[in-house]
């Protein structure tokens, strides 16, 4: 090979790489959103299984302002929850939770039945179902165009991932 041919091949490789790079970055961004949605959905399955296995209500709380979420046993049923966990979403992911206006309260209306203070939550009961006052939609958004929703399944036995129907 001559030096001219090698330079020509290198120029072609640089041109192809410059055309492919923007598409690859969009691919990796989409993977981050999908991965975070899968992690959240896995946590809902774990919370549901844990509620049934331990026979106590389990809360999956969502803190949209800090882009974090976690799992804990509902207060008052056991001592300290040594298996409670919390996760921070990837920095490029924003969590959105529509407000739930009819959060359950006690008969004397003096407490919120174990729901974390000022945090929306999904409450899984010991029979494996989720409470009707639980969050019905969690939106994971990346940028302005990419978004996924975690919503109850059609039979209301769990949650699933769907593309977001609302554009911002």
């Amino acid at each position: 090979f001559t030096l001219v041919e090698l330079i020509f091949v290198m120029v072609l490789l640089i041109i192809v790489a410059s055309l492919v790079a923007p598409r690859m970055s969009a691919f990796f961004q989409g993977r981050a959103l999908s991965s975070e949605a899968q992690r959240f959905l896995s946590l809902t399955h774990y919370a549901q299984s844990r509620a049934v296995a331990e026979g106590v209500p389990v809360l999956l709380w969502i803190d949209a302002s800090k882009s974090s979420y976690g799992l804990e046993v509902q207060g008052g049923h056991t001592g300290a929850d040594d298996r409670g966990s919390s996760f921070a979403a990837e920095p490029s992911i924003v969590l959105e939770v529509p407000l739930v206006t009819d959060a359950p309260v006690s008969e004397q209306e003096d407490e919120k039945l174990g729901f974390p203070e000022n945090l929306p939550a999904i409450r899984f009961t010991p029979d494996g179902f989720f409470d009707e006052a639980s969050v019905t939609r969690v939106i994971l958004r990346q940028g302005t165009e990419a978004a996924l929703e975690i919503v109850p399944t059609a039979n209301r036995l769990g949650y699933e991932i769907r593309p977001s129907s609302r554009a911002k």
Side-chain angles (χ1 to χ4, degrees):
F1 295 105
T2 66
L3 184 60
V4 173
E5 290 172 330
L6 287 175
I7 291 174
F8 180 72
V9 169
M10 292 302 287
V11 167
L12 284 177
L13 288 174
I14 290 171
I15 291 171
V16 169
S18 67
L19 294 175
V20 171
R23 290 189 178 106
M24 289 302 289
S25 67
F27 169 76
F28 287 117
Q29 285 178 349
R31 296 298 308 153
L33 179 62
S34 176
S35 176
E36 195 66 46
Q38 287 292 334
R39 184 167 70 162
F40 190 91
L41 185 63
S42 295
L43 196 60
T44 64
H45 293 300
Y46 174 65
Q48 192 172 24
S49 297
R50 186 172 173 200
V52 171
E54 295 181 15
V56 294
V58 175
L59 299 173
L60 192 160
W61 53 266
I62 302 119
D63 188 350
S65 65
K66 297 179 182 174
S67 289
S68 63
Y69 49 92
L71 195 67
E72 63 185 46
V73 170
Q74 184 173 2
H77 288 279
T78 60
D81 185 8
D82 59 342
R83 295 192 312 166
S85 56
S86 63
F87 301 93
E90 158 147 356
S92 65
I93 307 290
V94 175
L95 298 174
E96 297 175 11
V97 182
L99 292 176
V100 178
T101 56
D102 57 344
V105 293
S106 66
E107 291 176 4
Q108 290 81 26
E109 297 184 6
D110 59 349
E111 58 183 75
K112 292 180 62 181
L113 297 179
F115 277 75
E117 190 64 33
N118 297 324
L119 291 178
I122 300 171
R123 179 178 182 260
F124 290 97
T125 58
D127 60 4
F129 295 100
F130 56 89
D131 196 287
E132 291 300 317
S134 295
V135 170
T136 57
R137 186 173 71 217
V138 178
I139 302 168
L140 289 87
R141 190 175 302 281
Q142 186 175 34
T144 55
E145 61 261 351
L148 294 173
E149 293 180 350
I150 310 293
V151 295
T153 58
N155 60 9
R156 311 236 351 122
L157 294 177
Y159 283 79
E160 66 183 349
I161 300 171
R162 278 196 238 157
S164 181
S165 58
R166 294 179 8 183
K168 196 166 194 179

